[in-house]
Amino acid sequence: MKRVQHIIIEGVTLDYYIDDYVYIYNSKNDKMIQADNNTLEYLKNYDSHKSEKVDGLENFLFGRKKINLLNFKILNLKLNTKGFEKLFLIENNLIIKILFFVLLSFFLLTLPIIFKNTISLYQSGAFHFKLYHLLYIYLAQFSIIMLHEFGHFYSYRKYIVTDTMRFGVMIRYFFMLLFYNNVNYMRTLKKKDKLVIMFSGVTAQMLIGGILAALCIFYNNNIILYIYFVNLIILSTNMLPFLKLDGYWIINLLINSEDYMKNFKNFIFFRKKARVIEILLGIINFIIIIFIIISGLNFLFKQVGDLI
């Protein structure tokens, strides 16, 4: 494993990771470059008054953050994870490994049972939803998503040692509110290692699902059942191969594409070559994005109309 290191240049903190190339990340403007050791040495010795100015590097160091309205980050947070060292070693414990296996198996095996019990409860009229239940659901949703993102970082850190977790909240396609977690140097890993990281968020949710499944079966509680299905919905949604969710990057990896939507755009606007699978996925993804935007606008106009 290799470690992410840091340098401070003219008040700007840069993270860098050395592999076949040197990957340097500027968290201030969210820019990243692939360089070599000469560039790294230049940056380490940079002096705004003495160093020869290189336009590309000047822009990288001090340029403004590029605004993407389709993926607009509204909150950027940084967490020092030095105190989590023992937590990162937890899965090496045999008992923990067995517990994880039991929870994952229990989640998968009990899915049909819980669905059957839920249908029976609904048909019997035993559901008694109350408005304050929404508070539990929203808190659970927030916690589940945070654990999902931490699951990604947990696996990421097994391959790339870093003491800083960068995460936050973004609005995608104007109306989708999402959490994100920066795993900037994942591109340097092997395909199988990338898949482990990509699936780790869903794996974390399956572990949560195993715990919730046990509670659902042994305790007759509607709130627990609601949270169970919230977790299941988030899990299923994340596995969709669209909207730049986990499933989107997984399908890209499986079809050996860096970004099928980017290739689809290049095919449409610049007549560049794209494979059939990329074009088909791109068309479906585009339709879903348009649907989300139109649905969001329709909801917004309706709300404004009701206020007027």
Side-chain angles (χ1 to χ4, degrees), residues 181-202:
N181 178 24
N182 280 358
V183 284
N184 296 316
Y185 307 104
M186 188 172 73
R187 68 184 69 184
T188 66
L189 300 177
K190 296 178 181 178
K191 184 175 181 177
K192 63 181 182 64
D193 298 332
K194 291 179 182 178
L195 282 172
V196 169
I197 296 171
M198 290 175 182
F199 274 108
S200 57
V202 168

Side-chain angles (χ1 to χ4, degrees), residues 183-289:
V183 284
N184 296 316
Y185 307 104
M186 188 172 73
R187 68 184 69 184
T188 66
L189 300 177
K190 296 178 181 178
K191 184 175 181 177
K192 63 181 182 64
D193 298 332
K194 291 179 182 178
L195 282 172
V196 169
I197 296 171
M198 290 175 182
F199 274 108
S200 57
V202 168
T203 302
Q205 285 192 245
M206 290 174 70
L207 293 173
I208 296 169
I211 296 170
L212 291 171
L215 293 173
C216 285
I217 289 173
F218 296 110
Y219 293 95
N220 185 19
N221 187 299
N222 285 352
I223 294 175
I224 295 174
L225 194 59
Y226 298 148
I227 295 172
Y228 176 89
F229 278 101
V230 165
N231 181 59
L232 193 60
I233 291 169
I234 296 171
L235 188 157
S236 303
T237 303
N238 264 290
M239 289 307 295
L240 293 174
F242 309 108
L243 304 174
K244 293 195 174 181
L245 301 171
D246 292 347
Y248 178 90
W249 299 112
I250 290 170
I251 197 68
N252 270 299
L253 205 58
L254 294 178
I255 65 172
N256 296 314
S257 176
E258 184 178 343
D259 186 337
Y260 75 72
M261 198 59 189
K262 181 179 179 180
N263 292 342
F264 173 70
K265 290 176 184 175
N266 288 334
F267 171 76
I268 295 297
F269 296 109
F270 304 108
R271 292 295 183 265
K272 290 187 178 181
K273 188 176 180 180
R275 288 178 292 157
V276 174
I277 184 66
E278 292 175 322
I279 295 170
L280 290 175
L281 288 169
I283 291 170
I284 297 171
N285 192 51
F286 178 75
I287 292 170
I288 294 173
I289 292 170

Side-chain angles (χ1 to χ4, degrees), residues 62-76:
F62 309 113
R64 291 184 179 182
K65 182 177 181 179
K66 186 178 179 181
I67 296 176
N68 183 350
L69 293 177
L70 295 180
N71 288 282
F72 187 72
K73 295 179 180 179
I74 59 175
L75 182 63
N76 296 284

